[in-house]
């Protein structure tokens, strides 16, 4: 073997080692990157499908008022009865799925689409809705309001 | 509303009710009637005795004599002594009095069912059936027992009852759907057939929604009569308030009244109310507007414009809904966008209701915000799918890296094994 | 590569003095892999091992978000897929690698069988391998239920009902497995415990034994190769074979990533114990041949319920598989054993045909 061949071999080996090390490094990064992102807690701290903490403070919910909130990807309604009690229902009207609202003048829940009325227990009392609204469980943790699907 | 000449008859009826012996308190009657009737072997006599055991009246402790009179204590034929009040099978007209004796007595009825109304007889007298029977002596018309049966009376909430919401149409239809029986009366006999094709019956029978209307919800039950042309809207408006309100303020309300056209039923039919769809509006083949309007007149133009508005929103909503669903199935987080898109659906439903005002502006007021919401949601869907594209790009990058590493390894193996 | 100057390297030396790295290096240098026309099958075990590592890694990551209760399992997986960054990737890889791992495991098993690598002194290696197969199937069966979706729920219902057909102890076993008489939230919690604690612990033990035995005996050379080849060719395990292993592993990883990106694991509908079973519920593909066999069996065979006969049959089949090294006397004596080659091929054909039928036949209940 001549000197030349030896030198070529050496530089070749060096290149292969460099290439191997670089691609191995890139490989580890490409594995670690998704794992690192996976470990970062997502914005919504936990699944909102079964329970949700409302972005509303207890003090801001006045008696005889209601507000819509997002429960999963469906609307739900939190109402505070004139007597001060908190209740939550699915806000999806049982007639044609419009979003219901609270009418403080009527002191009950109302659907604007076809004038459906629901009482403070979610029972359909007038208009076309055929079934009551699904009720959810309201829990108050300090100032926080937590809504969950019933057991 | 007095009906002139019937005054004396009415009084007579009332007298009859008052003159009848006071309703007996219910007591578990050790009745001889049943014992014999079950043995007799003549079906006409056995069946009532048998059936009555499941009747609501039997359950409340009433016996045969409560209606038929006679002496429950007598063991033989002497029980059926007219002197002891025995009346046998009450005649058609008599039935109303027999039932009304208790059912019109508020004081008596409240011992059994305080919630039950006591004005059935009064109502009945105002009904088509009642007037014919009591004024014209027409015994072919319905009386209490025609609908409630004689010996298998059950509360309307009992699914076996002939007046349970699911059975009402059949019960009325037994006569009204029978062309032979109804011959000579100026009413059609296809209502039952038509009703069975209606969305109301579908809701009731398929979806089990017992609050959907059946015959009596529009015609009344004891006061049964056709809703007049002028107030058909009131009947439908009981449930369909928003449409009825819009309609009442519309130009059509006035014009239809002048034309003697029956309000809602002009477009939606009366018994065969099929599911209303967007195709009814506009100038298309299935559109009802074309019965009076054409593309030439203002009404036709308005119809076409309203339809276009609604169609546009529906298409935009569908587009947004589809793309969001696609993104969701691919595992993307789009719940906020889906949540907001609900509002567009609301707008569409509302536009379909307010189109009964028959003005473009009213429809537009609902449609426009709906379009904006749909557009925004669609935008989000597009972005979510782009993010999915990003996954594929990420995959491509990592595969390239892996391939490079594999290449390096192969070179290394070659280099090691070169002799 | 052990270059001479490595010995002078500080850390190496420090560790060497304490745990004897030099001995390990010597061991590694001594390990050789025979080279012949069947060498390719030597990669299967390592591939399975790699996929198990992927499972352990992704499984542990999944644990960070998963919640093992009927109320929350489905929701937590949904959350993982939709909200957690790269959650879809981790879950999809876990689900795909599980399938690939079972596949390579079967290939490993049958290659070992056909190459007669179980002959003395490797009977215990075979036994521990069979144990690992059982554990892997257990992983698959218990893991399938964890997302608590409709499909998994009913597949598990059917699967655990089959244990009821085992004579004498069947109903007890069924109850034990389900944590009650029905598949409920209690079953989910139980399966979860089995999936993430019991099976991994047993796996560590059996896998340790398996690898220890492999290391102790070296790779077996198939009898039909042993005789023919005059000069026995070998390849050092480190680095030559290991580098080749790595190439295979990386390819598997690339395939996994592609599968996860194009066919992410689905979730479907949440399980509803009160709903009627959907049509065409299927077990995982590796249980399909058994599922299908049980379906084909007549209602009663010789006066015994068909399903019971089937379950007993599979029990005996499993026992036979376990005892192959002891039953195959010819191979043990160093003679060619065509009978066992034939049996092996028949088992493979049987499994493939029934699995194929299971997937092509129209789903009717
Ligand atoms: C120590 C090792 C393991 C841990 C900690 C682990 C953990 C988990 C967890 C938490 C889940 C539920 C999340 C989900 O369903 O997506 C799961 C699912 C699953 N696991 Fe594992 N696992 C391990 C090993 C294995 C092995 C070896 C197999 C293969 C035989 C396996 C097969 C499965 C399957 C098939 C699923 C269901 C995947 C799906 O969601 O579709 N696991 N595992
Ligand atoms: S959608 Fe609510 S009343 Fe029609």
């Amino acid at each position: 073997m001549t000197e030349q061949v030896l030198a070529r071999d050496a530089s070749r080996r060096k290149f292969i080692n460099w290439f191997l090390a670089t691609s191995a490094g890139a490989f580890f990064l490409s594995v670690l990157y998704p794992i690192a992102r996976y470990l970062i807690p997502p914005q919504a701290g936990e699944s909102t499908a079964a329970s949700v903490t409302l972005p509303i403070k207890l003090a801001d919910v006045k008696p005889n008022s209601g507000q819509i909130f997002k429960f999963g990807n469906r609307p739900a309604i939190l109402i505070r009865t004139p007597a001060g009690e908190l209740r939550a229902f699915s806000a999806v009207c049982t007639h044609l799925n419009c979003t219901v609202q609270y009418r403080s003048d009527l002191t009950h829940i109302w659907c604007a689409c076809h004038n459906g009325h629901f009482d403070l227990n979610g029972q359909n009392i007038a208009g076309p809705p055929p079934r009551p609204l699904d009720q959810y469980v309201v829990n108050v943790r300090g100032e926080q309001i937590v809504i969950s699907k019933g057991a | 509303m007095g009906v002139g000449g019937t005054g004396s008859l009415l009084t007579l009826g009332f007298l009859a009710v008052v003159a009848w012996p006071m309703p007996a308190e219910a007591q578990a009657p050790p009745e001889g009637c049943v014992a014999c009737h079950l043995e007799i072997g003549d079906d006409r006599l056995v069946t009532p005795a048998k059936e009555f055991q499941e009747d609501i009246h039997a359950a409340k402790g009433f016996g045969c004599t409560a209606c038929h009179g006679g002496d429950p204590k007598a063991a033989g034929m002497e029980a059926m002594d007219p002197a002891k009040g025995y009346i046998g099978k009450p005649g058609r007209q008599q039935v109303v009095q027999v039932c009304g004796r208790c059912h019109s007595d508020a004081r008596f009825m409240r011992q059994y069912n305080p919630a039950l109304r006591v004005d059935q007889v009064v109502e009945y007298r105002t009904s088509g059936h009642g007037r014919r029977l009591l004024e014209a002596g027409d015994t072919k018309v319905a009386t209490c027992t025609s609908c409630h049966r004689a010996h298998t009376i059950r509360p309307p909430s009992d699914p076996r009852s002939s007046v349970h919401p699911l059975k009402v149409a059949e019960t009325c239809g037994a006569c009204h759907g029978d062309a032979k029986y109804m011959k000579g009366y100026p009413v059609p006999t296809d209502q039952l057939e038509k009703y069975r094709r209606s969305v109301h019956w579908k809701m009731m029978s398929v979806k089990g929604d017992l609050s959907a209307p059946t015959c009596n919800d529009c015609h009344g039950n004891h006061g049964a009569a056709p809703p007049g042309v002028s107030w058909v809207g009131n009947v439908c408006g009981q449930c369909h308030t928003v449409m009825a309100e819009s309609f009442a303020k519309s130009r059509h309300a006035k014009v239809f009244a002048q034309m003697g056209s029956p309000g809602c039923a002009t477009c939606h039919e009366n018994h065969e109310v099929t599911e209303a769809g967007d195709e009814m509006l506009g100038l298309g083949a299935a559109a009802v507007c074309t019965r009076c309007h054409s593309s030439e007149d203002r009404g036709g133009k308005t119809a076409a414009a309203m339809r276009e508005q609604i169609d546009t929103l529906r298409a935009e909503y569908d587009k947004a809904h589809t793309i969001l669903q696609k993104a969701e199935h691919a595992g993307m987080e789009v719940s906020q966008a889906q949540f907001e898109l609900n509002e567009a659906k609301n707008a569409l439903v509302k536009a379909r209701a307010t189109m009964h005002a028959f003005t473009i502006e009213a429809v537009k007021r609902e449609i426009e915000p709906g379009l904006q919401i749909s557009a925004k949601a669609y935008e989000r869907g597009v972005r979510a799918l782009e993010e999915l594209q990003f996954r594929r790009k990420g995959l491509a990058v990592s595969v390239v890296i892996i391939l490079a590493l594999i290449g390096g390894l192969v070179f290394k193996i070659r280099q090691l094994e070169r002799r | 590569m052990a270059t001479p100057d490595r010995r002078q390297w500080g850390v190496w030396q420090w560790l060497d003095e304490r745990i004897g790295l030099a001995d390990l290096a010597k061991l590694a240098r001594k390990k050789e892999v025979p080279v012949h026309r069947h060498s390719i099958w030597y990669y299967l075990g390592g591939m399975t091992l790699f996929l198990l590592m992927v499972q352990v890694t992704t499984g542990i990551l999944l644990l960070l978000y998963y919640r093992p209760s009927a109320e929350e399992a489905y929701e937590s997986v949904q959350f993982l897929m939709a909200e957690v960054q790269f959650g879809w990737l981790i879950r999809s890889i876990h689900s795909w690698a599980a399938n690939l791992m079972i596949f390579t495991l079967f290939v490993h098993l049958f290659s070992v069988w056909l190459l007669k690598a179980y002959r003395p002194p490797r009977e215990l290696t075979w036994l521990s391998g069979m144990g690992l197969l059982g554990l892997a199937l257990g992983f698959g069966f218990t893991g399938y239920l964890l997302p608590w979706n409709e499909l998994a729920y009913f597949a598990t219902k059917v699967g655990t009902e089959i244990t009821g057909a085992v004579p004498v102890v069947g109903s007890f076993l069924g109850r034990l497995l389900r944590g009650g008489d029905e598949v409920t939230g209690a079953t989910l919690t139980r399966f979860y415990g089995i999936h993430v604690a019991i099976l991994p612990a047993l796996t560590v033990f059996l896998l340790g034994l398996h690898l220890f035995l492999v290391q102790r005996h070296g790779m077996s050379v198939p009898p039909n190769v042993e005789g023919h080849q005059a000069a026995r060719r070998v390849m050092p395990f480190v680095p030559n074979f290991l580098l080749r292993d790595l190439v295979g592993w990386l390819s598997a990883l690339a395939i996994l990533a592609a599968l996860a990106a194009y066919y992410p694991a689905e979730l479907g509908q949440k399980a509803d114990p009160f709903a009627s079973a959907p049509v065409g519920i299927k077990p995982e593909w590796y249980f399909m041949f058994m599922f299908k066999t049980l379906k084909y069996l007549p209602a009663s065979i010789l006066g015994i319920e068909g399903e019971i006969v089937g379950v007993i049959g599979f029990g005996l089949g499993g026992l036979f598989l376990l005892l192959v090294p002891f039953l195959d006397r010819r191979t043990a004596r160093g003679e060619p054993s065509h009978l066992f080659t034939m049996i092996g091929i028949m088992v493979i054909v049987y499994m493939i045909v029934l699995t194929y039928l299971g997937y092509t036949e129209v789903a009717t209940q």
Side-chain angles (χ1 to χ4, degrees):
Chain A
M1 269 188 233
T2 63
E3 292 280 297
Q4 233 179 355
V5 174
L6 274 179
R8 190 146 45 96
D9 265 7
S11 76
R12 200 189 152 94
R13 178 175 316 144
K14 242 166 90 189
F15 171 75
I16 287 176
N17 282 349
W18 170 85
F19 184 75
L20 207 54
T22 314
S23 50
F27 170 73
F28 281 114
L29 282 183
S30 75
V31 171
L32 286 180
Y33 175 72
I35 293 183
R37 292 272 299 267
Y38 177 86
L39 293 177
I40 297 171
Q43 273 165 358
E46 53 183 350
S47 169
T48 54
S51 82
V52 58
T53 305
L54 298 193
I56 321 164
K57 289 271 164 304
L58 179 60
D60 298 337
V61 189
K62 286 179 206 60
N64 195 20
S65 77
Q67 30 203 321
I68 298 291
F69 61 91
K70 175 175 170 289
F71 200 3
N73 55 16
R74 321 236 66 192
I77 187 167
L78 174 77
I79 59 172
R80 189 151 192 190
T81 64
E85 210 181 317
L86 284 173
R87 291 182 193 168
F89 303 93
S90 152
V92 181
C93 179
T94 51
H95 179 223
L96 292 180
N97 302 342
C98 281
T99 304
V100 299
Q101 53 187 281
Y102 185 75
R103 284 269 301 262
S104 42
D105 53 338
L106 302 173
T107 64
H108 65 227
I109 303 168
W110 177 70
C111 176
C113 284
H114 310 105
N115 197 16
H117 295 258
F118 300 89
D119 68 14
L120 293 176
N121 293 312
Q123 298 293 325
N124 45 322
I125 46 173
R131 268 175 296 109
L133 298 170
D134 291 336
Q135 184 158 13
Y136 300 139
V137 178
V138 184
N139 281 302
V140 177
R141 233 184 252 152
E143 266 294 280
Q144 275 183 336
I145 304 169
V146 183
I147 312 288
S148 48
K149 290 205 169 133
Chain B
M1 255 174 257
V3 197
T6 60
S8 54
L9 238 159
L10 259 170
T11 332
L12 235 160
F14 269 118
L15 271 180
V17 169
V18 173
W20 205 274
M22 274 319 284
E25 293 295 311
Q27 80 271 90
E31 279 188 336
C33 320
V34 178
C36 293
H37 271 256
L38 286 179
E39 303 291 297
I40 277 173
D42 181 343
D43 266 354
R44 285 173 311 161
L45 300 177
V46 175
T47 313
K50 221 192 266 168
E51 284 182 342
F52 185 65
Q53 290 166 9
E54 300 228 345
D55 190 290
I56 174 81
H57 297 100
K60 297 274 179 185
F62 293 95
C64 313
T65 53
C67 295
H68 295 287
D71 181 2
K73 285 187 202 84
M77 295 296 277
E78 66 275 19
M80 300 186 284
D81 183 353
K84 290 179 179 161
Y86 178 71
I87 61 166
K89 178 177 176 178
R92 301 286 274 178
Q93 293 184 349
Q94 213 178 354
V95 164
V96 182
Q97 291 154 12
V98 170
C99 301
R101 187 162 49 101
C102 296
H103 278 271
S104 300
D105 184 342
R107 208 186 290 265
F108 179 78
M109 286 309 291
R110 83 172 167 216
Q111 305 171 69
Y112 296 96
N113 182 354
L116 201 63
R117 295 173 57 159
V118 290
D119 57 355
Q120 295 94 337
V121 172
V122 179
E123 279 201 328
Y124 179 71
R125 284 177 201 289
T126 70
S127 74
H129 295 138
R131 295 220 306 263
R132 278 208 128 74
L133 177 71
L134 301 173
E135 292 165 26
D138 180 354
T139 53
K140 275 177 87 180
V141 300
T143 73
C144 314
T145 51
S146 314
C147 298
H148 294 282
R149 309 285 178 255
H151 299 108
T152 52
I153 302 175
R154 294 181 179 120
S157 55
D158 184 334
R160 295 171 303 170
S161 166
S162 55
V163 290
H164 180 266
L166 276 171
K167 294 276 183 59
V168 166
E170 203 178 290
T171 299
C172 299
C175 296
H176 283 275
D178 183 343
K180 236 192 306 160
Y181 191 82
M182 294 301 289
K183 215 167 131 211
Y185 294 98
V187 284
T189 51
D190 55 359
Q191 302 95 327
L192 179 61
E193 221 178 293
K194 283 183 163 174
Y195 173 70
R196 287 260 153 97
R197 288 197 293 265
S198 75
V199 63
H200 290 144
W201 172 247
K202 206 162 80 190
M203 287 302 289
M204 170 102 71
S205 60
V206 180
K207 294 244 174 106
D209 174 6
L210 297 185
S211 71
T214 178
C215 314
N216 62 319
D217 291 291
C218 298
H219 294 282
N221 23 20
H222 299 109
V229 161
S230 59
W231 44 293
V232 70
N234 294 346
V235 173
C236 306
Q238 288 292 319
C239 295
H240 302 280
T241 8
V242 172
M243 286 83 147
E245 253 169 46
S246 298
F247 179 80
K249 282 185 252 152
S250 77
R251 178 182 301 250
H252 277 149
K254 269 185 246 113
V255 178
F256 283 9
Q258 281 163 13
M259 286 167 43
S261 209
C264 314
T266 311
C267 300
H268 293 282
E269 304 303 325
N270 46 8
H271 296 113
E272 196 175 357
V273 184
T274 48
E275 199 156 346
D278 293 341
E279 69 286 348
M280 290 177 70
L281 176 63
L283 297 168
V288 293
C289 312
T290 52
R291 293 182 197 163
C292 301
H293 297 284
S294 73
S295 57
E296 305 298 304
D297 58 48
R298 227 183 73 189
K301 287 190 184 118
T302 306
M306 290 194 298
R307 170 68 185 277
E308 204 207 301
Q309 293 265 330
I310 290 178
D311 279 354
T312 316
L313 179 54
R314 191 182 52 188
E316 291 300 305
Y317 169 82
D318 282 348
K319 206 170 84 178
H321 184 66
T322 314
I323 198 168
L324 287 179
Q325 231 166 11
K326 208 165 132 193
E328 190 189 15
H329 286 168
M332 308 302 298
E333 160 55 25
V334 285
S335 74
Q336 183 66 33
Q338 280 173 324
F339 173 72
E340 282 163 21
L341 187 60
N342 281 328
E343 280 304 312
K345 185 68 187 271
N346 276 2
L348 186 59
V349 174
K350 276 195 201 152
R352 284 173 178 148
T354 50
M355 64 66 40
H356 291 91
F358 304 104
T359 67
I360 302 177
E361 294 71 46
V363 174
K364 230 187 196 149
R365 252 201 309 280
E366 306 291 350
I367 294 284
E368 243 144 42
L371 283 176
Q372 280 169 17
I373 295 166
S374 301
K376 235 168 73 190
Y378 181 74
E379 191 52 38
R380 297 243 210 139
V382 170
R383 258 187 282 143
L385 288 184
E386 275 169 6
E387 160 83 20
L388 197 64
Q389 246 7 74
F390 164 76
R391 281 190 191 177
R392 308 250 153 103
K393 272 190 214 133
L395 168 71
V397 171
S398 56
V399 167
V400 166
I401 293 175
I402 291 176
L403 286 179
L405 188 51
I406 290 178
L409 285 171
V410 170
F411 279 131
K412 188 78 196 168
I413 294 170
R414 285 248 205 90
Q415 179 220 318
L416 280 173
E417 293 179 0
R418 230 151 26 108
R419 305 269 156 95
Chain C
M1 298 129 282
T3 41
D5 53 343
R6 167 88 43 90
R7 299 287 147 82
Q8 271 74 58
W9 206 22
V11 180
W12 173 275
Q13 206 173 13
W14 191 87
L15 282 176
D16 187 20
E17 280 158 13
R18 279 151 189 89
I19 49 178
L21 283 186
D23 294 341
L24 284 180
K26 213 163 86 200
L27 211 67
R29 241 175 308 127
K30 245 179 59 193
K31 188 170 170 59
E32 292 173 333
V33 179
V35 179
H36 50 78
R37 62 196 156 94
H38 294 307
S39 288
I40 177 107
W41 303 112
Y42 292 144
Y43 293 102
L44 265 306
M47 183 70 95
T48 312
L49 183 62
F50 169 70
L51 290 169
L52 179 71
M53 292 303 133
V54 172
Q55 283 308 88
V56 173
T57 315
T58 51
I60 289 173
L61 287 173
L62 288 175
L63 278 177
L64 298 186
Y65 293 102
Y66 180 76
R67 296 182 172 185
S69 75
E71 291 75 35
E72 289 189 301
Y74 179 86
E75 281 78 7
S76 69
V77 176
Q78 201 174 36
F79 176 74
L80 179 108
M81 291 289 284
E83 304 262 349
V84 179
Q85 300 184 62
F86 290 101
W88 61 274
L89 182 67
I90 304 293
R91 172 159 182 259
S92 304
I93 289 190
H94 192 76
S95 140
W96 275 112
N99 287 297
L100 281 188
M101 180 180 118
I102 303 249
F103 179 74
T104 57
L105 198 53
F106 271 117
V107 179
H108 178 55
L109 184 151
F110 283 110
S111 68
V112 167
W113 183 333
L114 295 180
L115 297 178
K116 310 282 160 54
Y118 51 71
R119 63 192 194 285
R122 296 190 181 78
E123 296 96 324
L124 282 180
T125 319
W126 173 269
L127 286 183
S128 60
M130 285 302 297
L132 286 168
L133 174 71
L135 292 177
L137 293 179
F139 267 122
F141 187 65
T142 52
Y144 195 47
L145 180 69
L146 296 185
W148 199 245
N149 56 16
E150 200 181 31
L151 216 63
Y153 176 81
F154 285 103
T156 305
K157 218 171 138 140
V158 174
T160 48
E161 244 150 46
I162 290 172
T163 52
V166 176
V168 191
V169 291
S171 69
F172 172 73
L173 261 177
R175 267 181 58 82
L176 191 69
L177 208 56
R178 288 176 167 183
D181 291 320
E182 281 294 323
V183 176
T184 60
T187 320
L188 178 66
T189 308
R190 189 161 283 235
F191 272 32
Y192 171 76
I194 297 174
H195 190 85
V196 307
I198 299 178
L199 293 179
L202 293 176
T203 306
V204 167
F205 170 72
L206 272 186
L207 189 62
L209 179 63
H210 197 72
L211 295 181
F212 169 74
L213 290 172
V214 168
Q215 166 60 28
R216 189 177 165 80
H217 298 136
M219 304 307 289
S220 118
V221 179
N224 54 350
V225 175
E226 224 169 18
H228 293 271
Q229 233 143 354
R232 199 168 157 257
R233 282 209 293 134
V234 295
M235 167 197 297
F237 181 78
V238 182
N240 304 47
F241 193 81
L242 191 60
L243 287 176
R244 283 178 169 79
D245 255 346
L246 277 175
V247 170
W249 298 359
L250 288 168
S251 312
L253 199 62
I255 291 170
L256 274 179
L259 285 171
Y262 281 91
Y263 306 99
E266 290 186 353
L267 186 53
Q269 294 275 309
K270 180 170 176 166
D272 175 3
F274 302 109
S276 49
V279 279
I281 34 166
K282 289 204 166 87
E284 292 268 65
W285 61 269
Y286 38 85
F287 292 121
M288 185 51 109
F289 73 98
M290 295 195 252
F291 186 68
K292 202 72 202 163
T293 308
L294 291 181
K295 269 198 163 177
Y296 277 143
L297 286 180
S300 133
I301 301 167
L302 302 174
I304 309 172
E305 205 182 307
E307 198 166 78
I308 297 182
V309 175
V311 169
I312 296 176
F314 280 120
L316 291 180
L319 193 65
F320 173 78
L321 212 59
L322 195 66
L323 296 182
V324 160
F326 306 101
L327 295 174
D328 187 3
R329 300 312 312 161
R330 293 182 65 110
T331 301
R333 273 186 299 209
E335 297 162 25
S337 167
H338 296 299
L339 176 66
F340 274 80
T341 309
M342 282 314 295
I343 296 178
I345 291 174
M346 265 156 50
V347 173
I348 298 174
V349 170
Y350 178 79
M351 285 173 60
I352 293 178
V353 168
L354 268 107
T355 307
Y356 174 78
L357 287 178
Y359 279 93
T360 47
E361 246 162 53
V362 198
T364 47
Q365 269 289 296

